């Protein structure tokens, strides 16, 4: 039996695997890059080994260093998690050759499924329905729209939708660069793009004795940049279409048996149809020869610990003849450090606080209704630019789908998430959307229902104003707490009538100016005639609003203020009293939206550019980001070259806007 496991991964998945190992009495070993030296997965392991460097290519993708680390730490098995080396057949062979147990499928199975091009041919021969592959050089107008995909990839990297034939060469070039960077293989191919498909996948578990389970299906149709955001089990489409589940399960078992599969894997399909209509045709997309990010929803609806089953299968144990029954409904959302309203722009920086009310378990199976949290960060963690910006997976389990959605939306809405802009508001809006609640979810969900609408803040303009008032009162209470003289006097007290206290905050709707007086008769705040103060401390403020008692919890980190209440979360920035001249940038400046590395420059100083023309390409968090000219004009300054590392807010270039004729 396995005694000690090295997890060749980081963050949330490493912590998830360690949790099962601890419950099973198995030792744990972590590996870490320099950027991850203080990460939770490092401190939680029994031992940890440094992989010098920061980039994945220098660290987590170095299979030789990972195996050396396992031997150094005395581990007898390696679990790859997902991503990085998890679907690398050469690494699996090297682990075996080093005398270690590989907690994953046989190398030949990984190899056969490693190329999306070859795997489709294999699946077609096994009787699994597939979408035809298109040669990128032979695509015609009649084939459009097409999806460019990385043959060795996943997670949305190297994937582009092309609707105009003229755009194909540029998109192919970009997809190849992204695929090479993420997977070390620039091979891409095309297939017909189904605008409103349903992404359905089947969890399989197989042992070396010939037993293959189809352990329920998941629906992962709501995606951004072809990367899953909301996942659930069971699928509302499959539930609605008679006989579809049996056909899916049979296709998944055929796929697993065709490659003599062992361990946990997922067979992914693109399906047609709606939950309220006939349909249910499906086509093989790929097989992920590893554990999936969304595996918790299957665990919660089956009661299985899939990591524990992986350990048992790798140890040679046999599965029961029949897979367990499915009950209840589970929904998972991926909480990302990103700004959906700004083209999903990834964020980096500190996580001051991450707390969800009603969390029942972390990294464990929910066997009764509740909330599960699988997170790669803790309070005080820092999100860097080298890796995916997912903060956590939040999972609900309930007897019905509606209850699961309601429970999850409420927990997210009341969560304290301080430090980074996240997609939390978007997730809650999706979970509460009428189309989602009736199961009408497809891969075009954001386009259909409007990303601008779905990304709207949970807090209304009035809630933001009330929260700003609470923040001002909490700040005044804090000032009283730290005052060295007359600390018992009210903030702003004067012997004679005085001007109001004034504090300005910047919120999502712009500046909010709060003007108030604390008098012997109570609070007098301009524009808040129906609001009275009940109590105020540096952390908690209670207000009576038109006869309703409202409580606000206020947290301040430097100039950033987070106000949490039942009305909705609010993030404010305390405006400085005076403008710092050094912080002013020239009009027409292109600022780096995130830290990253310049990988391409599209113009030179003196060039005439047009509004929207790409000027600089950044690589950050394993994705390409294009910085475009804000207006037509002349590029008067270019501060970076290929390879330059930049911080957020760095001036990359300056475009002097063209003036209309006769304008002075």
């Amino acid at each position: 039996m396995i005694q000690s496991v090295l997890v060749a991964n980081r963050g949330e998945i490493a912590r998830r695997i360690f949790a099962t190992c601890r419950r099973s009495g198995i030792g744990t070993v972590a590996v870490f890059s320099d950027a991850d030296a203080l990460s939770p997965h490092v401190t939680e392991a029994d031992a940890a080994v440094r992989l010098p460097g920061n980039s994945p290519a220098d660290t987590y993708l170095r299979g030789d260093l990972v195996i050396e680390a396992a031997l150094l730490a005395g581990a007898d098995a390696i679990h790859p998690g997902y991503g990085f080396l998890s679907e690398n057949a050469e690494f699996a062979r090297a682990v075996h050759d080093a005398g270690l147990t590989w907690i994953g499928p046989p190398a030949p199975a990984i190899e056969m499924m490693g190329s999306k091009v070859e795997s489709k041919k294999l699946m077609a021969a096994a009787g699994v329905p597939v979408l035809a592959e298109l040669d990128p050089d032979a695509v015609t107008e009649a084939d459009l729209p097409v999806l460019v995909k990385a043959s060795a990839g996943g997670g949305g990297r190297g994937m582009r939708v092309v609707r105009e034939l003229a755009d194909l060469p540029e998109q192919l070039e970009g997809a190849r660069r992204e695929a090479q960077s993420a997977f070390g293989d620039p091979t891409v191919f095309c297939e017909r793009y189904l605008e409103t498909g349903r992404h359905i996948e089947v969890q399989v578990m197989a042992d070396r004795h010939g037993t293959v389970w189809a352990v329920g299906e998941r629906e992962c149709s709501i995606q951004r940049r072809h990367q899953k955001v909301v996942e659930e089990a069971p699928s509302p489409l499959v539930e609605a279409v008679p006989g579809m589940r049996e056909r899916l399960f049979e296709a998944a078992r055929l796929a697993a048996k065709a490659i003599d599969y062992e361990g946990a894997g997922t067979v992914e399909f693109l399906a047609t149809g709606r939950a309220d209509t006939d349909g249910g045709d499906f086509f093989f997309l790929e097989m992920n020869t590893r554990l999936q990010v969304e595996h918790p929803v299957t665990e919660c609806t089956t009661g299985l610990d899939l990591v524990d089953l992986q350990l048992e299968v790798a140890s040679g144990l046999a599965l029961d003849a029949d897979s367990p029954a499915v009950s209840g409904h589970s929904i998972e959302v991926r909480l990302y450090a990103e700004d959906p309203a700004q083209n999903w722009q990834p964020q980096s920086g500190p996580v001051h606080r991450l707390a969800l009310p009603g969390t029942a378990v972390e990294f464990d199976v929910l066997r009764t209704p509740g909330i599960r949290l699988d997170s790669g960060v803790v309070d005080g963690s820092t999100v860097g630019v080298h890796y995916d910006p997912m903060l956590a997976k939040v999972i609900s389990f309930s007897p019905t789908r509606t209850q699961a959605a309601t429970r999850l939306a409420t927990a997210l809405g009341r969560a304290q998430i301080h430090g980074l802009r996240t997609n939390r508001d978007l997730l809650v809006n999706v979970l509460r959307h009428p189309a989602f609640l009736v199961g009408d979810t497809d891969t075009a969900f954001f386009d259909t229902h409007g990303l601008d609408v779905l990304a709207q803040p949970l807090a209304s303009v009035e809630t933001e104003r009330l929260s700003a008032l609470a923040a001002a009162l909490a700040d005044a209470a804090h000032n009283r707490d730290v005052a060295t003289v007359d600390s018992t006097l009210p903030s702003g007290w004067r012997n004679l009538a005085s001007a109001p206290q004034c504090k300005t905050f910047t919120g999502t709707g712009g500046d909010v100016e709060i003007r108030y007086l604390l008098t012997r008769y109570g609070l007098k705040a301009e524009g808040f005639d129906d609001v009275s103060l009940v109590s105020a401390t540096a952390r908690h403020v209670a207000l009576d609003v038109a006869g309703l008692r409202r409580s606000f919890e206020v947290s301040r980190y430097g100039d950033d203020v987070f106000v949490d209440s039942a009305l909705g979360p609010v993030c404010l920035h305390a405006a400085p009293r005076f403008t710092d001249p050094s912080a002013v940038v020239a009009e027409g400046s292109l600022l780096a939206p995130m830290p990253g590395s310049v990988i391409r420059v599209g113009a030179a100083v003196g060039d005439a550019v047009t509004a929207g023309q790409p000027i600089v390409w950044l690589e950050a968090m394993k994705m390409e980001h294009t910085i475009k000219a804000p207006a037509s004009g002349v590029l008067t300054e270019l501060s970076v070259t290929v390879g330059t590392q930049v911080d957020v807010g760095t001036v990359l270039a300056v475009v002097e806007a063209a003036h209309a004729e006769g304008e002075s």
Side-chain angles (χ1 to χ4, degrees):
M1 296 295 291
I2 294 170
Q3 300 297 316
S4 178
V5 174
L6 179 143
V7 178
N9 221 294
R10 62 179 299 278
E12 166 267 327
I13 185 55
R15 298 185 75 198
R16 162 69 189 93
I17 296 164
F18 289 161
T20 287
C21 289
R22 283 194 298 270
R23 289 191 290 266
S24 301
I26 296 173
T28 56
V29 180
V31 288
F32 63 94
S33 67
D34 292 339
D36 279 340
L38 301 178
S39 293
H41 82 276
V42 178
T43 58
E44 290 175 356
D46 296 331
V49 180
R50 174 179 174 242
L51 304 176
N54 286 318
S55 73
D58 293 334
T59 55
Y60 298 107
L61 289 173
R62 284 287 303 274
D64 55 336
L65 297 183
V66 170
I67 291 173
E68 287 177 13
L71 297 173
L72 174 67
D76 57 353
I78 290 181
H79 193 306
Y82 47 69
F84 295 134
L85 295 166
S86 62
E87 295 177 282
N88 186 309
E90 290 183 9
F91 179 61
R93 286 194 182 92
V95 170
H96 183 269
D97 292 344
L100 303 170
T101 298
W102 167 250
I103 304 173
I110 299 174
E111 215 155 41
M112 284 185 276
M113 291 293 104
S115 166
K116 291 182 174 64
V117 174
E118 297 305 316
S119 65
K120 286 194 171 190
K121 296 175 182 176
L122 184 63
M123 291 298 100
V128 180
V130 301
L131 275 175
E133 174 203 346
L134 300 173
D135 181 348
D137 296 327
V139 171
T140 67
E141 289 281 356
D143 297 318
L144 299 176
V146 297
L147 184 63
V148 179
K149 299 178 73 172
S151 180
R157 278 98 190 179
M159 194 177 292
R160 311 289 178 94
V161 177
V162 179
R163 293 183 170 84
E164 299 290 338
L165 201 57
D167 296 337
L168 185 58
E170 181 181 351
Q171 295 301 325
L172 285 170
E173 181 185 350
R176 286 173 178 136
R177 282 197 308 270
E178 208 165 79
Q180 176 65 42
S181 174
F183 314 113
D185 183 350
T187 306
V188 299
F189 68 99
C190 296
E191 66 185 19
R192 183 164 58 96
Y193 180 59
L194 301 182
E195 296 275 7
T196 56
R198 305 281 288 247
H199 190 117
I200 313 293
E201 60 189 33
V202 179
Q203 175 73 57
V204 296
M205 180 66 71
D207 63 24
R208 65 186 60 171
H209 308 287
T211 300
V212 179
W213 286 355
V215 198
E217 86 283 346
R218 300 183 286 256
E219 178 152 348
C220 315
S221 298
I222 298 181
Q223 304 177 5
R224 60 97 164 100
R225 288 179 170 171
H226 311 289
Q227 192 168 30
K228 302 160 190 173
V229 177
V230 182
E231 300 115 339
E232 58 182 311
S235 158
L237 174 65
V238 176
E239 290 274 274
V241 179
M244 185 176 179
R245 178 169 290 121
E246 290 73 17
R247 291 187 290 119
L248 273 170
F249 284 10
E250 178 59 23
R253 283 190 290 263
L254 281 173
K257 290 178 179 178
I259 58 172
D260 295 324
Y261 199 76
E262 291 178 21
T266 299
V267 187
E268 300 195 349
F269 300 95
L270 191 62
T272 61
R274 295 162 52 100
D276 57 353
T277 64
D278 292 333
D281 290 335
F282 56 85
F283 306 94
F284 173 83
L285 281 177
E286 61 185 343
M287 183 174 184
N288 294 130
T289 52
R290 55 173 168 79
L291 198 66
Q292 290 279 87
V293 178
E294 57 273 20
H295 74 274
V297 297
T298 297
E299 293 187 323
C300 292
T301 51
T302 61
L304 296 171
D305 182 329
L306 292 177
V307 175
D308 194 46
L309 283 175
Q310 284 185 296
L311 295 171
E312 291 185 359
V313 167
S315 299
L317 299 181
L319 298 171
D320 292 338
D322 298 317
S323 59
V326 172
S327 64
H329 202 96
S330 183
I331 303 175
E332 171 183 296
V333 294
R334 303 189 192 187
L335 183 67
Y336 283 102
E338 66 183 10
D339 187 351
Q342 298 298 320
N343 196 30
W344 311 101
Q345 189 178 100
Q347 310 289 299
S348 61
V351 178
H352 299 304
R353 181 162 174 76
L354 176 61
L356 278 87
T359 298
V361 298
E362 295 186 27
F363 306 108
D364 201 0
V365 180
L366 278 168
R367 292 180 170 84
T368 57
I371 295 293
R372 165 177 168 173
L373 177 66
D374 286 16
S375 176
V377 301
V378 295
D379 294 358
S381 291
T382 297
V383 176
V385 300
H386 302 288
Y387 314 111
D388 186 272
M390 188 175 76
L391 299 178
K393 303 180 318 198
V394 188
I395 306 103
S396 67
F397 174 63
S398 289
T400 70
R401 185 174 185 273
T402 299
Q403 290 172 345
T406 301
R407 185 186 299 273
L408 186 53
T410 300
L412 283 167
R414 299 197 175 189
Q416 294 183 335
I417 305 172
H418 301 165
L420 288 171
R421 187 179 298 278
T422 72
N423 64 339
R424 181 255 299 272
D425 291 6
L426 172 97
L427 296 173
V428 175
N429 288 331
V430 168
L431 291 167
R432 290 174 174 167
H433 196 281
F436 178 84
L437 292 174
V438 299
D440 187 9
T441 58
D442 58 39
T443 54
F445 191 89
F446 292 131
D447 292 333
T448 302
H449 301 290
L451 180 60
D452 56 338
V453 174
L454 293 168
Q456 285 294 311
L458 296 176
S460 66
V461 173
E462 182 56 30
T463 293
E464 188 168 271
R465 290 184 67 249
L466 276 172
S467 297
L469 175 60
L473 295 170
D475 187 52
H478 168 74
N479 292 338
R480 290 297 84 207
D481 290 343
V482 300
T484 56
V485 295
D486 294 333
S487 59
T488 59
L489 294 178
S491 178
W493 182 85
R494 295 290 187 277
N495 193 32
L496 300 173
S498 176
Q501 295 273 74
C502 182
K503 289 185 171 69
T504 301
F505 301 93
T506 302
T508 57
D511 288 346
V512 182
E513 186 179 71
I514 301 297
R515 298 173 64 85
Y516 70 94
L517 282 170
L518 292 173
T519 73
R520 69 182 64 187
Y521 304 108
L523 173 70
K524 292 178 61 178
E526 294 181 11
F528 297 93
D529 296 338
D530 58 351
V531 177
S532 59
L533 175 62
V534 178
S535 63
T537 69
R539 290 295 306 275
H540 300 276
V541 174
L543 300 173
D544 187 296
V545 184
L548 293 175
R549 180 76 57 89
R550 296 290 188 184
S551 296
F552 301 83
E553 186 165 346
V554 182
S555 303
R556 183 159 180 166
Y557 312 90
D559 291 331
D560 293 325
V561 186
F562 296 84
V563 185
D564 296 292
S565 74
L567 295 173
V570 171
C571 175
L572 302 166
H573 183 79
R577 293 183 64 188
F578 305 103
T579 301
D580 181 358
S582 66
V584 178
V585 298
E587 184 179 354
S589 295
L590 281 69
L591 306 181
M594 70 210 75
S597 175
V598 176
I599 60 172
R600 187 180 172 194
V601 174
V605 172
D607 286 355
V609 298
T610 57
Q613 178 180 331
I615 303 297
V616 176
W617 284 258
L618 285 180
E619 183 177 61
M621 297 180 175
K622 300 195 289 184
M623 300 288 283
E624 273 192 23
H625 307 274
T626 306
I627 316 302
K628 301 177 180 179
S632 297
V634 176
L635 188 67
T636 59
E637 183 179 329
L638 183 63
S639 310
V640 296
T641 59
V642 173
T644 302
Q645 299 288 324
V646 298
D647 292 323
V648 62
T650 298
V651 177
L652 306 174
V654 177
V655 174
E656 185 176 315
H659 297 293
E661 189 173 334
E663 185 179 338
S664 60

